[in-house]
Amino acid sequence: MGLHMQVIIALLLGIKRNGHIFIGLILGVLVGLFFPKDSYGQVYSILSFIAKAFINIIQMVVLPLVISAIIIGVSNIGDSKQLAKFGSKMILYYGIITVLAVSIAAIIAIVMQPGLNAQSLVNPDIIQNVQGSVTEAIQYQKENMVQIFLDLIPKNPFEALASGNMIPVIIFVSIFAVALTRAGEISRPLVSFFESIFAATMKVTDWIMYLAAPGIFALTATAVSSFGVEIFGVISKYAIAICLALAIQFFIIYPIMLKVFSKVPVGRLYAAISEAIMVAFGTASSSATLPLTITCCEKRGISNKVCSFVLPLGATLNMDGTAIIQVIAVIFLAQMYGIDLSPLLIFEIAALAIVASSTSAGIPGAGMITIALILNGIGLTPQQLVVGFSLLFTIERFFDMLRTICNVTSDAIVAAIIADNENELNYELLCGVEGEKAQA
Ligand code: ASP
């Protein structure tokens, strides 16, 4: 049986196993269609309240989880040789996945030319809303490039923590974790403290998952009711380009990565993480999905050592789905505004997307904010971009959900490859009874 057939079957079985979440998704689409935001403002407000409450609850555990996971992960790895080996492999595999992602996105956008017939689409309301934030973001980056890099080094880790600024927090916690490992036995009580925090956050996550079906229902319903389905007809070329690139990444690149760099059975891994994939789609947040990604991977045999090191870093830094959308969106804008797309410019867009995507937080909408970094890098002005930008924002939420699936899946793919390479994967658990069913 072909690789993608295996993947599709595994996903279908995953959907069957998570029928309640899937029903939440379908109902969400239906309710969103029958109660458009403009005509049913009150229904929308209720749905949006439930959706936001779900996101808040789920995000509540993210910070303690990321911190405790990194500290446990680094201290589990223990000796610095192994840490360097894990770290370098992680960077290598995340790097390969993201470079492939931006290359595929660029080729598809150049061949399909989605921006050519997009000029007629202008929504005056959204234009106004977006104009301010786009102008501001680009202006800030223009004036503060050096500062942006300096800010990655937290001079006050607690300030970074309080403002939820993830990359400086991760930098600080990683250094702190290595120091704890080096300090030896004396650091044991502190590591145990973080182990307790980790265990408690995983427990809270279990409870949160009881709310997954209503939460995902509300999230999907609010998204569909805000932008409706008509918009898909008008900008179908852009939508098809994105879906195609994400599908190639999901159905072809990830399985090839698994085949080339490990002996992990593709179908079984996809089946193992199917819950995380669906929650990623519903929440559009890698960070919010992180607890579940870790649970799925650990339950199916990837060691805690690998999960707690690779997955939290991946959920923050590895955003290949985001990079795909950013490349296609910027090329779309360039085509829409008649900018000559020379090979050098395309290369620049792709390279900037790698940086921009990895600075995106794992939360809904982050990728559309950091896209300003790419546009600014290729010398576009806010005045040129406002109409196109507002267009992208109109359908943003649905693609956010789709790209988050890739962001989360690729984290698990890299974790599985590293676990395989380092003998940290329990194949009996991965290919257990449920795994057998997935393959049947
Ligand atoms: N929503 C994405 C994620 O959480 C980030 C983004 O592209 O906006 O992975």
Side-chain angles (χ1 to χ4, degrees), residues 17 265 268 272 299-301 426-439:
R17 204 165 54 214
R268 286 175 185 187
K299 266 192 197 158
R300 293 313 172 100
N426 181 334
Y427 275 95
E428 268 170 33
L429 273 180
L430 183 66
C431 306
V433 182
E434 298 247 293
E436 292 297 347
K437 280 188 205 155
Q439 285 290 298

PDB file of all heavy atoms in Angstrom, residues 17 265 268 272 299-301 426-439:
ATOM      1  N   ARG A  17     -11.524   7.350  16.070  1.00  0.00           N
ATOM      2  CA  ARG A  17     -11.234   7.229  17.501  1.00  0.00           C
ATOM      3  C   ARG A  17     -11.622   8.504  18.250  1.00  0.00           C
ATOM      4  O   ARG A  17     -11.912   8.496  19.425  1.00  0.00           O
ATOM      5  CB  ARG A  17      -9.733   6.966  17.666  1.00  0.00           C
ATOM      6  CG  ARG A  17      -9.404   6.273  18.944  1.00  0.00           C
ATOM      7  CD  ARG A  17      -8.003   5.714  18.936  1.00  0.00           C
ATOM      8  NE  ARG A  17      -6.986   6.686  18.626  1.00  0.00           N
ATOM      9  CZ  ARG A  17      -5.881   6.407  17.946  1.00  0.00           C
ATOM     10  NH1 ARG A  17      -5.659   5.212  17.496  1.00  0.00           N
ATOM     11  NH2 ARG A  17      -4.991   7.342  17.715  1.00  0.00           N
ATOM     12  N   PRO A 265       7.442   3.532  11.310  1.00  0.00           N
ATOM     13  CA  PRO A 265       6.360   3.314  10.340  1.00  0.00           C
ATOM     14  C   PRO A 265       5.445   4.536  10.268  1.00  0.00           C
ATOM     15  O   PRO A 265       4.916   4.984  11.295  1.00  0.00           O
ATOM     16  CB  PRO A 265       5.596   2.116  10.906  1.00  0.00           C
ATOM     17  CG  PRO A 265       6.312   1.686  12.135  1.00  0.00           C
ATOM     18  CD  PRO A 265       7.311   2.714  12.517  1.00  0.00           C
ATOM     19  N   ARG A 268       1.703   4.430  11.531  1.00  0.00           N
ATOM     20  CA  ARG A 268       1.557   4.293  12.987  1.00  0.00           C
ATOM     21  C   ARG A 268       1.860   5.592  13.707  1.00  0.00           C
ATOM     22  O   ARG A 268       1.216   5.927  14.695  1.00  0.00           O
ATOM     23  CB  ARG A 268       2.442   3.161  13.483  1.00  0.00           C
ATOM     24  CG  ARG A 268       1.792   1.875  13.065  1.00  0.00           C
ATOM     25  CD  ARG A 268       2.545   0.649  13.353  1.00  0.00           C
ATOM     26  NE  ARG A 268       1.774  -0.455  12.759  1.00  0.00           N
ATOM     27  CZ  ARG A 268       2.050  -1.711  12.911  1.00  0.00           C
ATOM     28  NH1 ARG A 268       3.066  -2.065  13.636  1.00  0.00           N
ATOM     29  NH2 ARG A 268       1.309  -2.625  12.326  1.00  0.00           N
ATOM     30  N   ALA A 272      -0.782   7.680  15.869  1.00  0.00           N
ATOM     31  CA  ALA A 272      -0.456   7.992  17.266  1.00  0.00           C
ATOM     32  C   ALA A 272      -0.730   9.455  17.599  1.00  0.00           C
ATOM     33  O   ALA A 272      -1.136   9.778  18.716  1.00  0.00           O
ATOM     34  CB  ALA A 272       1.009   7.646  17.547  1.00  0.00           C
ATOM     35  N   LYS A 299       2.865   8.391  24.978  1.00  0.00           N
ATOM     36  CA  LYS A 299       2.024   7.178  25.063  1.00  0.00           C
ATOM     37  C   LYS A 299       2.434   6.171  24.013  1.00  0.00           C
ATOM     38  O   LYS A 299       2.288   4.976  24.199  1.00  0.00           O
ATOM     39  CB  LYS A 299       0.552   7.560  24.840  1.00  0.00           C
ATOM     40  CG  LYS A 299      -0.206   7.815  26.118  1.00  0.00           C
ATOM     41  CD  LYS A 299      -1.696   7.893  25.804  1.00  0.00           C
ATOM     42  CE  LYS A 299      -2.461   8.539  26.935  1.00  0.00           C
ATOM     43  NZ  LYS A 299      -3.735   9.091  26.484  1.00  0.00           N
ATOM     44  N   ARG A 300       2.909   6.658  22.875  1.00  0.00           N
ATOM     45  CA  ARG A 300       3.261   5.752  21.783  1.00  0.00           C
ATOM     46  C   ARG A 300       4.760   5.503  21.690  1.00  0.00           C
ATOM     47  O   ARG A 300       5.293   5.237  20.622  1.00  0.00           O
ATOM     48  CB  ARG A 300       2.718   6.279  20.459  1.00  0.00           C
ATOM     49  CG  ARG A 300       1.225   6.259  20.403  1.00  0.00           C
ATOM     50  CD  ARG A 300       0.745   4.913  20.903  1.00  0.00           C
ATOM     51  NE  ARG A 300      -0.693   4.857  21.054  1.00  0.00           N
ATOM     52  CZ  ARG A 300      -1.509   4.293  20.166  1.00  0.00           C
ATOM     53  NH1 ARG A 300      -1.039   3.758  19.095  1.00  0.00           N
ATOM     54  NH2 ARG A 300      -2.791   4.273  20.393  1.00  0.00           N
ATOM     55  N   GLY A 301       5.451   5.632  22.809  1.00  0.00           N
ATOM     56  CA  GLY A 301       6.795   5.081  22.881  1.00  0.00           C
ATOM     57  C   GLY A 301       7.966   6.022  22.661  1.00  0.00           C
ATOM     58  O   GLY A 301       9.117   5.598  22.772  1.00  0.00           O
ATOM     59  N   ASN A 426      10.265   3.260  21.848  1.00  0.00           N
ATOM     60  CA  ASN A 426       9.776   1.928  22.188  1.00  0.00           C
ATOM     61  C   ASN A 426       8.843   1.460  21.063  1.00  0.00           C
ATOM     62  O   ASN A 426       7.682   1.871  20.987  1.00  0.00           O
ATOM     63  CB  ASN A 426       9.029   2.003  23.535  1.00  0.00           C
ATOM     64  CG  ASN A 426       8.520   0.653  23.969  1.00  0.00           C
ATOM     65  OD1 ASN A 426       8.282  -0.220  23.149  1.00  0.00           O
ATOM     66  ND2 ASN A 426       8.340   0.499  25.266  1.00  0.00           N
ATOM     67  N   TYR A 427       9.377   0.606  20.172  1.00  0.00           N
ATOM     68  CA  TYR A 427       8.602   0.192  19.002  1.00  0.00           C
ATOM     69  C   TYR A 427       7.400  -0.663  19.375  1.00  0.00           C
ATOM     70  O   TYR A 427       6.417  -0.716  18.653  1.00  0.00           O
ATOM     71  CB  TYR A 427       9.505  -0.525  17.993  1.00  0.00           C
ATOM     72  CG  TYR A 427      10.191   0.467  17.089  1.00  0.00           C
ATOM     73  CD1 TYR A 427      11.470   0.932  17.360  1.00  0.00           C
ATOM     74  CD2 TYR A 427       9.529   0.972  15.972  1.00  0.00           C
ATOM     75  CE1 TYR A 427      12.077   1.867  16.553  1.00  0.00           C
ATOM     76  CE2 TYR A 427      10.127   1.911  15.150  1.00  0.00           C
ATOM     77  CZ  TYR A 427      11.404   2.351  15.443  1.00  0.00           C
ATOM     78  OH  TYR A 427      11.998   3.282  14.639  1.00  0.00           O
ATOM     79  N   GLU A 428       7.496  -1.348  20.527  1.00  0.00           N
ATOM     80  CA  GLU A 428       6.341  -2.156  20.944  1.00  0.00           C
ATOM     81  C   GLU A 428       5.143  -1.266  21.236  1.00  0.00           C
ATOM     82  O   GLU A 428       4.016  -1.570  20.885  1.00  0.00           O
ATOM     83  CB  GLU A 428       6.684  -2.966  22.185  1.00  0.00           C
ATOM     84  CG  GLU A 428       7.200  -4.338  21.816  1.00  0.00           C
ATOM     85  CD  GLU A 428       7.765  -5.067  23.009  1.00  0.00           C
ATOM     86  OE1 GLU A 428       7.253  -4.868  24.122  1.00  0.00           O
ATOM     87  OE2 GLU A 428       8.735  -5.808  22.812  1.00  0.00           O
ATOM     88  N   LEU A 429       5.430  -0.132  21.899  1.00  0.00           N
ATOM     89  CA  LEU A 429       4.331   0.795  22.199  1.00  0.00           C
ATOM     90  C   LEU A 429       3.801   1.442  20.918  1.00  0.00           C
ATOM     91  O   LEU A 429       2.601   1.579  20.732  1.00  0.00           O
ATOM     92  CB  LEU A 429       4.815   1.901  23.148  1.00  0.00           C
ATOM     93  CG  LEU A 429       4.757   1.611  24.641  1.00  0.00           C
ATOM     94  CD1 LEU A 429       5.264   2.817  25.425  1.00  0.00           C
ATOM     95  CD2 LEU A 429       3.326   1.297  25.054  1.00  0.00           C
ATOM     96  N   LEU A 430       4.722   1.828  20.035  1.00  0.00           N
ATOM     97  CA  LEU A 430       4.307   2.499  18.795  1.00  0.00           C
ATOM     98  C   LEU A 430       3.480   1.550  17.922  1.00  0.00           C
ATOM     99  O   LEU A 430       2.504   1.949  17.311  1.00  0.00           O
ATOM    100  CB  LEU A 430       5.535   2.998  18.017  1.00  0.00           C
ATOM    101  CG  LEU A 430       5.223   3.778  16.745  1.00  0.00           C
ATOM    102  CD1 LEU A 430       4.534   5.093  17.057  1.00  0.00           C
ATOM    103  CD2 LEU A 430       6.479   4.046  15.945  1.00  0.00           C
ATOM    104  N   CYS A 431       3.889   0.301  17.887  1.00  0.00           N
ATOM    105  CA  CYS A 431       3.195  -0.667  17.009  1.00  0.00           C
ATOM    106  C   CYS A 431       2.313  -1.593  17.832  1.00  0.00           C
ATOM    107  O   CYS A 431       2.146  -2.762  17.502  1.00  0.00           O
ATOM    108  CB  CYS A 431       4.202  -1.487  16.221  1.00  0.00           C
ATOM    109  SG  CYS A 431       5.352  -0.460  15.309  1.00  0.00           S
ATOM    110  N   GLY A 432       1.744  -1.079  18.917  1.00  0.00           N
ATOM    111  CA  GLY A 432       0.922  -1.896  19.794  1.00  0.00           C
ATOM    112  C   GLY A 432      -0.433  -2.201  19.189  1.00  0.00           C
ATOM    113  O   GLY A 432      -0.638  -2.085  17.984  1.00  0.00           O
ATOM    114  N   VAL A 433      -1.390  -2.569  20.049  1.00  0.00           N
ATOM    115  CA  VAL A 433      -2.693  -3.021  19.566  1.00  0.00           C
ATOM    116  C   VAL A 433      -3.353  -1.958  18.680  1.00  0.00           C
ATOM    117  O   VAL A 433      -3.815  -2.241  17.588  1.00  0.00           O
ATOM    118  CB  VAL A 433      -3.607  -3.330  20.784  1.00  0.00           C
ATOM    119  CG1 VAL A 433      -4.950  -3.844  20.309  1.00  0.00           C
ATOM    120  CG2 VAL A 433      -2.911  -4.334  21.678  1.00  0.00           C
ATOM    121  N   GLU A 434      -3.315  -0.697  19.160  1.00  0.00           N
ATOM    122  CA  GLU A 434      -3.965   0.371  18.393  1.00  0.00           C
ATOM    123  C   GLU A 434      -3.239   0.579  17.084  1.00  0.00           C
ATOM    124  O   GLU A 434      -3.838   0.830  16.061  1.00  0.00           O
ATOM    125  CB  GLU A 434      -3.946   1.676  19.205  1.00  0.00           C
ATOM    126  CG  GLU A 434      -4.708   1.558  20.484  1.00  0.00           C
ATOM    127  CD  GLU A 434      -5.930   2.441  20.430  1.00  0.00           C
ATOM    128  OE1 GLU A 434      -5.747   3.654  20.405  1.00  0.00           O
ATOM    129  OE2 GLU A 434      -7.037   1.916  20.409  1.00  0.00           O
ATOM    130  N   GLY A 435      -1.894   0.454  17.173  1.00  0.00           N
ATOM    131  CA  GLY A 435      -1.093   0.602  15.964  1.00  0.00           C
ATOM    132  C   GLY A 435      -1.468  -0.449  14.939  1.00  0.00           C
ATOM    133  O   GLY A 435      -1.576  -0.199  13.758  1.00  0.00           O
ATOM    134  N   GLU A 436      -1.687  -1.688  15.433  1.00  0.00           N
ATOM    135  CA  GLU A 436      -2.079  -2.774  14.537  1.00  0.00           C
ATOM    136  C   GLU A 436      -3.370  -2.407  13.806  1.00  0.00           C
ATOM    137  O   GLU A 436      -3.506  -2.593  12.612  1.00  0.00           O
ATOM    138  CB  GLU A 436      -2.317  -4.066  15.331  1.00  0.00           C
ATOM    139  CG  GLU A 436      -1.072  -4.664  15.943  1.00  0.00           C
ATOM    140  CD  GLU A 436      -0.047  -5.102  14.909  1.00  0.00           C
ATOM    141  OE1 GLU A 436      -0.380  -5.175  13.699  1.00  0.00           O
ATOM    142  OE2 GLU A 436       1.089  -5.327  15.289  1.00  0.00           O
ATOM    143  N   LYS A 437      -4.299  -1.835  14.593  1.00  0.00           N
ATOM    144  CA  LYS A 437      -5.585  -1.464  13.994  1.00  0.00           C
ATOM    145  C   LYS A 437      -5.354  -0.420  12.901  1.00  0.00           C
ATOM    146  O   LYS A 437      -5.954  -0.474  11.846  1.00  0.00           O
ATOM    147  CB  LYS A 437      -6.509  -0.871  15.068  1.00  0.00           C
ATOM    148  CG  LYS A 437      -7.184  -1.921  15.912  1.00  0.00           C
ATOM    149  CD  LYS A 437      -8.207  -1.220  16.775  1.00  0.00           C
ATOM    150  CE  LYS A 437      -8.516  -1.991  18.039  1.00  0.00           C
ATOM    151  NZ  LYS A 437      -9.009  -1.120  19.090  1.00  0.00           N
ATOM    152  N   ALA A 438      -4.453   0.515  13.216  1.00  0.00           N
ATOM    153  CA  ALA A 438      -4.201   1.599  12.253  1.00  0.00           C
ATOM    154  C   ALA A 438      -3.692   1.057  10.933  1.00  0.00           C
ATOM    155  O   ALA A 438      -3.923   1.628   9.881  1.00  0.00           O
ATOM    156  CB  ALA A 438      -3.220   2.594  12.843  1.00  0.00           C
ATOM    157  N   GLN A 439      -2.965  -0.044  11.008  1.00  0.00           N
ATOM    158  CA  GLN A 439      -2.391  -0.588   9.783  1.00  0.00           C
ATOM    159  C   GLN A 439      -3.352  -1.518   9.042  1.00  0.00           C
ATOM    160  O   GLN A 439      -3.177  -1.808   7.892  1.00  0.00           O
ATOM    161  CB  GLN A 439      -1.123  -1.385  10.151  1.00  0.00           C
ATOM    162  CG  GLN A 439       0.052  -0.498  10.501  1.00  0.00           C
ATOM    163  CD  GLN A 439       0.576   0.223   9.274  1.00  0.00           C
ATOM    164  OE1 GLN A 439       1.015  -0.390   8.339  1.00  0.00           O
ATOM    165  NE2 GLN A 439       0.498   1.540   9.277  1.00  0.00           N
TER     166      GLN A 439
END
